[in-house]
Amino acid sequence: MKAISHLALVALFSTNLLASEVTFTGNPQEKTIEGQDLKIYDTADVFQVATKRSGDGMRSSFLGNSYYLVSYLDSAVTLEEGKVIEGVRAAKAKALQLTMYMDMDGPTIRNAFLKALNKNKPYNEEGMKALLDQFTFDIDAGEVILITGRSTDNGEEEVVIELPEGKIIKGQGKDLATDLWKVWLGNPVDAQMGKLQKQLIGKVQ
């Protein structure tokens, strides 16, 4: 049984977005967290590469719960303590799915990513600016952001961000996906992100 993700529904995973780069597979776990019903799959094909769920958890801050995140990494990758980003770089494909728990505008999301990246220099600043400058859309609680990354044949990395209502953001450059993943799996920007990071890598160590 397979399901295609739909970015406009409250459920974490659903079945109707034909443009998605991700096909979730198997039978999902069903959870209700803070009033939202979530369906969480253990495996997914990302850019036709088999991936497995590395972990999931809530991103919280002093403002409250921001989003629930599920992480998928290339099934061939094993993360080692102290070498997590190296493992992320080795993954041919990866995906993050964020179910929003509060309304956020584009600049707020963009600035949150950049704040985390500034704790993880060096990174591809030019490529990241070109990617995140496209993030001009507001996201409402209950909506879903799907972020995918992969290695390309020319040695660069591609990032695709799928947003509600069929909006898509794309970027390509050296280490671009690996660098974006540092937001969650690099040096944590705060204690709450550090807690989430442990949950995101717990299944693949």
Side-chain angles (χ1 to χ4, degrees):
M1 178 181 179
K2 295 191 175 183
I4 307 295
S5 70
H6 190 299
L7 302 184
L9 296 181
V10 171
L12 183 59
F13 302 117
S14 190
T15 58
N16 296 314
L17 184 65
L18 298 180
S20 179
E21 302 291 356
V22 179
T23 302
F24 297 99
T25 58
N27 296 316
Q29 301 176 35
E30 298 186 4
K31 298 181 180 182
T32 300
I33 300 176
E34 299 292 333
Q36 290 205 52
D37 295 329
L38 309 180
K39 294 181 180 180
I40 301 173
Y41 290 81
D42 283 333
T43 56
D45 293 334
V46 180
F47 295 107
Q48 300 182 333
V49 175
T51 70
K52 60 186 177 183
R53 178 168 59 93
S54 67
D56 55 281
M58 184 70 75
R59 170 55 172 150
S60 300
S61 71
F62 68 93
L63 295 174
N65 292 331
S66 299
Y67 52 81
Y68 195 87
L69 188 148
V70 183
S71 169
Y72 291 86
L73 288 173
D74 185 339
S75 296
V77 169
T78 299
L79 300 183
E80 299 181 23
E81 186 174 355
K83 298 182 178 180
V84 173
I85 293 301
E86 287 82 349
V88 171
R89 182 177 287 107
K92 294 180 180 178
K94 41 196 167 274
L96 299 166
Q97 188 149 7
L98 292 68
T99 297
M100 304 304 296
Y101 273 70
M102 64 172 61
D103 299 345
M104 299 182 75
D105 59 32
T108 298
I109 296 173
R110 185 167 64 247
N111 291 337
F113 288 178
L114 289 173
K115 182 178 179 180
L117 286 168
N118 284 333
K119 300 255 311 187
N120 286 277
K121 291 185 175 181
Y123 68 90
N124 183 343
E125 296 188 43
E126 182 179 356
M128 197 65 65
K129 183 180 187 303
L131 175 70
L132 296 182
D133 278 355
Q134 302 175 63
F135 211 122
T136 59
F137 310 104
D138 298 343
I139 308 295
D140 296 332
E143 294 184 322
V144 179
I145 301 171
L146 179 62
I147 304 173
T148 53
R150 65 172 171 178
S151 302
T152 63
D153 292 338
N154 65 359
E156 296 185 338
E157 295 179 352
E158 179 184 26
V159 173
V160 178
I161 303 177
E162 299 177 27
L163 300 164
E165 300 179 359
K167 299 180 179 71
I168 295 177
I169 294 170
K170 291 186 177 182
Q172 185 171 318
K174 180 175 172 54
D175 290 333
L176 188 63
T178 298
D179 286 343
L180 183 58
W181 259 246
K182 290 177 181 178
V183 171
W184 300 275
L185 298 181
N187 297 321
V189 68
D190 54 37
Q192 292 89 346
M193 185 67 86
K195 178 180 177 181
L196 173 60
Q197 183 179 117
K198 292 179 181 179
Q199 296 172 313
L200 294 179
I201 65 177
K203 292 179 65 65
V204 292
Q205 286 185 303

